[in-house]
Amino acid sequence: MALAIAAALLGAVHIALTPLAYAAWTVEALWFLGAGLAIVVAAAANLVELQSTGLRSRLLVAAVNFAMTGFFAAAWLVLPEPQVVVGGVLFLGLALSTLVTRAPTAPAR
């Protein structure tokens, strides 16, 4: 859960920095904002998956996490900055943790 919350915060900061990084609404600003939104949505998928016991949902979220890890790896090629490493490590950790077998939780009443 801590990794998912950290990833969501990274995405929220990314979104919040958009108007500071871009003075005008440009294609680049839209891509920057969209990247932050993608990070938040992927983190939210992990938070939702924590409530699921199904193998399919775990595999789907693991695939999302590996895809996000790949996007951060690709971003590193053009933007070798610490925040890119942090994002990549967060999503790699999330991907690996979703593949770890967890004990089923009791359904909520």
Side-chain angles (χ1 to χ4, degrees):
M1 183 180 289
L3 289 176
I5 291 170
L9 290 173
L10 177 66
V13 168
H14 206 276
I15 291 168
L17 288 176
T18 302
L20 299 174
Y22 298 93
W25 190 242
T26 62
V27 171
E28 290 82 10
L30 184 61
W31 275 104
F32 192 84
L33 180 72
L37 183 59
I39 295 167
V40 169
V41 170
N46 282 277
L47 292 171
V48 170
E49 190 275 328
L50 287 172
Q51 303 302 314
S52 174
T53 58
L55 178 62
R56 271 192 244 170
S57 64
R58 277 198 337 200
L59 292 176
L60 177 64
V61 173
V64 167
N65 290 330
F66 280 120
M68 291 299 290
T69 302
F71 286 128
F72 275 101
W76 172 258
L77 297 175
V78 295
L79 186 66
E81 296 287 334
Q83 66 272 20
V84 178
V85 174
V86 168
V89 168
L90 279 172
F91 278 101
L92 180 59
L94 284 164
L96 297 174
S97 70
T98 53
L99 295 177
V100 173
T101 304
R102 293 190 310 258
T105 56
R109 293 185 188 236

